[in-house]
Structures are given as C-alpha cells and as structure tokens.
Amino acid sequence: MSVSGMKKQLHKASQLLNERLMGAEGTKLDEDFLKMEKTVTVINVLLAELLSRTTDLLQPNPAYRAKLSMLSTVSRIRGQARTVGYPQTEAMLGECMLFYGQELGATSEFGGALMAVGGALQQVSQAKDILDVSIKQTFIDPLQELQRWEMKEIKYQLKKVNGRRLDFDYKKGRRGKVAPEELHLAWDKFITSKELAERSMFVVLQSDVDRIGQLDALIAALLDYHCNAQRILLGLQGDLQARLTAASNKPARRFRSKKIQVGDDHSGTVGFYHQLSAAAPRSSGKQFMVVPSKPGSPISSYADCGLVLNQPCCRAMYSFMPNREGELDFNEGDIIILTGQVDSNWYEGTLGNRSGLLPVSYVDVLVPLPLP
C-alpha cells in the first residue's frame, strides 16, 4: 500500500472514531437506501440459512456429508469423476432386508416378504437420489450463484460507500485545509459508489420472480418424489396384503416329530422291538403296528394315547374344514379309519362316531386299503 493510501485509511479511521466516540455527525444516507440495505442484509442471512437447511433436508447426516466432501476434493485433485453418492437410509434398510430375506430362502413366507420390502425400499432410495439431483440443479445452485456473485458484489459496494463517505466527511471537517477540488472529488466518488450499490441492490430486490420460480421448483421436486414413493409403497402394500392372504389361507400346521432310523446296534434294535411288543395286545395271525394318537382326538384319551392300527387308517397332516355336506372335518394329527376310496382325490373314512369324505392330499396313509 502506498503512503497516500495509508494516509487515507488513517483519515477514515479517525473520522469513524470521531463519530463513534465523540458523537460527530456524518453524511446521512437517504431512507430508501437504508431500507434497501437492511432488506439485502436480511436476504444475505436468509441465503446462508436456507442453503444449510436444504442440505440438512437432503443429507441429514453431517458425518457422511463431511466424508463425501473429502472424497470429492480428493477426486478433483486426482482428476477423477466422483462416483460415490450420499448413502440413503432407505437403501441401507433395503439392503439389510434383501440380505436376510435371501438367507431365509424362497420357501419362507417371511423371507419372501422381506425381499419384497427390501426391493421397494431400494426403489424409494433411487427416487430420493433423483430428488437430490433435481433440488441441487433447480434450487441450491441458483441460490449459491446469487450468494457467490450478486450478494458478494453488493457487500463490496456497500463497504466502498461507507469508506468513501468517511473520506468525504473527514475532508469536509477539515474545510479550509483541504483544497475544494479534492473535496469535490471525494463527494463525486461517494455519490458514484452510492449509485452503484443502490443499482445492485435494486436488481436483487426486483428478482422476486426468479426466487419464487426456484421455490416452485423445490416444491415440484419434493412432490414428484413423494408421488413416486407413494406409488412404490402402495404397490408394496398390495403385494404384502396378497402374501398375508395367501399365508392365512394355508392349512394350519403343527409340530410333527420325525421317525428315527434305527442303526446297526442290535441290542438297541432288540430293545425297541420288545417295547413295541409289550405295548401291543396279542392278535392271532394278523400284523399290526402301534401309533400314538393325538391327545384329545375322538379315538384317544390322555389315559390311553396308544392306538393299535390293525386296519386301514391314516394320520391327518393338516386340519380340514368341510365345504360341502358329506365331508368329514378333522384336525391335524387325528387318526382316521379308512373305509374306502372314491377316486384319486377323496377317501371315505370314520373318525369316532362320524363318517364322511376326506381329501387325499391332507392325510398320510399309515395302513393302506386292501387292493380291490
């Protein structure tokens, strides 16, 4: 800085101290100018807050934002295109559901539902990525341009106005010691800076159409995202309702222990045979087997839960509710005496004192009907 420049800065500082401490009165700016300056100050603060809150809306996790910023900087230094996007929470939850749905397998109703929900959440995440890009292009970028250029220029012009006003007031206070031409030049510079600042503020304050258009673009992007998310989730809800109905209509199944294969241990085999022989009553010239019947069944009681099957019979694998007259209702685990076979789909049978038709696919035959 030159000596004359340093002297000018000292004169401005001296004038400012006189105004602040000594109560000296400086040149007053008109009310319209002061009103515009106040409004521009509010807009400047608003832009900073609005950009920060919008970023929080799209990317709420500050740690992820910092990581993405660092990766973006490194990519620019290396001359690479940034490929890592913000990790959406819907995508992370969807990946979790897809993984464990696959682990449960296709035979699991719950696993299939998990995979359906996970896939839908992945689609919602993709819609949110599109929202991020749209809002950045139509709302954030224009506001950042306004903040970076127009508002920065206004701030510079206002600073210049204040400096030239102090310079003029200092020289005016030293009237008689300062040449009239120098005082007149200081006044011209002050008025020129004021007009430039006033024009810049006027342009920004008259751009309401642009600002409202940017707000409209923000709301349109949000509406588009929520419409897409609603469409995806409504489709998912319909799929889950169908899965729920299908699962509810499946025949109820209860726990059924598997038969244990007897190994080559002869002593164990003999012991097992003796247990069966002791539990079964003697029957002359007929083969039979002992099957434990379900407690509460019409053909058993808790005191006597062993049934000797020396006639055609079957065990119910599922519960069955009759749809037509003549069909036999039974519960899973019931032992039903077979009295005949109508066709490949239906048996005739007896359970306690009730008789009727029973579906072949609902029972496991223990003792088959004799061949015709």
Side-chain angles (χ1 to χ4, degrees):
M1 182 181 292
S2 64
V3 175
S4 61
M6 291 182 63
K7 287 175 66 177
K8 186 177 288 187
Q9 294 301 323
L10 288 173
H11 295 163
K12 292 177 183 178
S14 175
Q15 177 65 25
L16 182 62
L17 286 173
N18 284 334
E19 292 178 4
R20 296 284 177 84
L21 300 178
M22 307 302 294
E25 188 173 347
T27 302
K28 298 293 185 181
L29 295 167
D30 60 87
E31 290 296 326
D32 290 340
F33 185 92
L34 293 175
K35 185 177 179 181
M36 282 196 296
E37 184 180 8
K38 183 178 180 180
T39 306
V40 166
T41 301
V42 172
I43 291 176
N44 200 26
V45 175
L46 165 67
L47 287 175
E49 188 78 8
L50 199 58
L51 288 169
S52 174
R53 299 299 182 186
T54 306
T55 303
D56 288 342
L57 170 69
L58 300 177
Q59 300 176 353
N61 191 319
Y64 280 132
R65 290 205 305 268
K67 182 178 178 181
L68 286 177
S69 178
M70 181 190 68
L71 291 174
S72 178
T73 303
V74 172
S75 299
R76 284 200 304 269
I77 293 173
R78 294 178 177 177
Q80 300 172 345
R82 192 186 76 179
T83 57
V84 180
Y86 183 82
Q88 305 291 355
T89 52
E90 292 87 353
M92 292 188 286
L93 179 58
E95 288 174 5
C96 173
M97 290 186 171
L98 284 171
F99 174 78
Y100 286 104
Q102 292 170 355
E103 288 291 306
L104 289 174
T107 57
S108 169
E109 295 289 343
F110 180 49
L114 274 177
M115 293 180 67
V117 175
L121 289 177
Q122 292 279 5
Q123 294 179 37
V124 172
S125 171
Q126 293 171 5
K128 204 164 190 180
D129 287 335
I130 296 172
L131 170 70
D132 288 0
V133 173
S134 177
I135 289 182
K136 185 177 186 307
Q137 291 177 347
T138 61
F139 186 72
I140 292 179
D141 287 350
L143 292 184
Q144 285 179 336
E145 288 295 315
L146 174 64
Q147 186 184 48
R148 188 180 297 118
W149 299 108
E150 284 91 339
M151 300 306 296
K152 189 175 180 181
E153 177 66 19
I154 290 173
K155 184 178 179 181
Y156 170 75
Q157 293 291 348
L158 289 174
K159 184 178 179 182
K160 208 166 186 178
V161 168
N162 189 53
R164 289 184 170 178
R165 182 192 67 78
L166 291 172
D167 182 57
F168 169 74
D169 286 340
Y170 173 80
K171 291 176 179 178
K172 185 176 69 171
R174 291 174 60 84
R175 185 172 295 175
K177 298 180 181 180
V178 178
E181 294 82 6
E182 189 175 350
L183 182 62
H184 185 71
L185 180 62
W187 172 256
D188 288 342
K189 287 183 177 180
F190 167 60
I191 292 299
T192 302
S193 294
K194 176 179 175 294
E195 288 177 353
L196 288 173
E198 205 166 21
R199 186 178 295 112
S200 298
M201 290 190 294
F202 181 81
V203 169
V204 169
L205 295 178
Q206 291 301 309
S207 58
D208 286 348
V209 173
D210 295 336
R211 304 291 87 81
I212 295 173
Q214 289 151 11
L215 286 174
D216 180 66
L218 169 68
I219 299 305
L222 286 170
L223 181 61
D224 187 54
Y225 161 70
H226 285 293
C227 286
N228 286 334
Q230 183 189 36
R231 175 181 54 79
I232 293 167
L233 294 178
L234 283 175
L236 172 63
Q237 186 183 38
D239 179 69
L240 290 177
Q241 290 291 337
R243 291 176 181 272
L244 181 61
T245 302
S248 301
N249 289 337
K250 272 194 171 182
R253 299 192 65 180
R254 298 179 187 175
F255 175 75
R256 181 184 179 194
S257 60
K258 300 291 184 180
K259 297 180 181 179
I260 300 175
Q261 297 291 334
V262 181
D264 294 333
D265 186 351
H266 295 291
S267 60
T269 304
V270 173
F272 180 73
Y273 172 77
H274 283 311
Q275 290 177 9
L276 289 179
S277 299
R282 301 290 180 179
S283 177
S284 59
K286 291 185 180 181
Q287 295 182 346
F288 57 87
M289 61 185 296
V290 178
V291 177
S293 60
K294 173 187 170 186
S297 172
I299 58 174
S300 67
S301 66
Y302 288 103
D304 178 21
C305 58
L307 179 66
V308 179
L309 304 180
N310 57 358
Q311 55 185 322
C313 61
C314 62
R315 185 195 295 273
M317 296 189 294
Y318 314 106
S319 298
F320 176 71
M321 295 296 294
N323 294 321
R324 294 184 296 272
E325 186 178 356
E327 295 177 351
L328 179 66
D329 68 285
F330 52 83
N331 297 319
E332 180 185 355
D334 286 344
I335 304 299
I336 305 168
I337 304 300
L338 297 176
T339 57
Q341 183 168 2
V342 179
D343 53 31
S344 59
N345 297 319
W346 295 91
Y347 284 126
E348 290 180 333
T350 301
L351 179 61
N353 58 356
R354 296 180 289 107
S355 299
L357 300 175
L358 57 145
V360 171
S361 59
Y362 274 61
V363 297
D364 179 22
V365 176
L366 302 175
V367 179
L369 288 162
L371 295 175

